[in-house]
Amino acid sequence: MSLHALAVLAQSKEGYTSCYIAGSVNTNAVFLRRVLARLVKAGIIETREGRDGGYRLAKPANQLTLAEVYKAMELENALAPSPAEPNPACPVGAGIALAFDEIAIEVEKSIIQTLEQYTVEQIADRAIQFALQKEVSETGWHDN
């Protein structure tokens, strides 16, 4: 949802209201504002108060990596440990958490490395390309 909102904001230097963004994301504006608040706190977007208020990107979309967004959202690791407390008397149970943590740390690093290769601008452009392709395939219309 945060990436979708940022891709929308990438379309205008002036930004948009939360209601406008919520319309694209297809969610409630109040709920969306909670997501946007995290992005404001991280310095990824800025707010404008007042009647013409809204949100805009704090820096150009081509300079904002998906890794920055991922970190700002403070998501839990992609791999979550078991909520059950392992039996410390079991040879596997005694070491499973540490073995799992090694892999989880490696996976998290891989995720960040991959996300650093993409910008919000790239995702926004790609989304628009897919939408145009879908429109062409559904309507049979295309430019010659």
Side-chain angles (χ1 to χ4, degrees), residues 81-131:
S82 171
E85 190 64 39
N87 180 349
C90 170
V92 173
I96 193 68
L98 293 174
F100 179 84
D101 285 348
E102 283 180 337
I103 295 168
I105 290 167
E106 187 177 333
V107 167
E108 190 70 15
K109 286 179 183 177
S110 294
I111 289 171
I112 298 295
Q113 287 174 344
T114 299
L115 294 175
E116 285 174 343
Q117 297 174 37
Y118 299 95
T119 66
V120 167
E121 180 179 70
Q122 289 170 314
I123 297 303
D125 290 348
R126 195 76 176 121
I128 291 168
Q129 286 176 348
F130 281 130

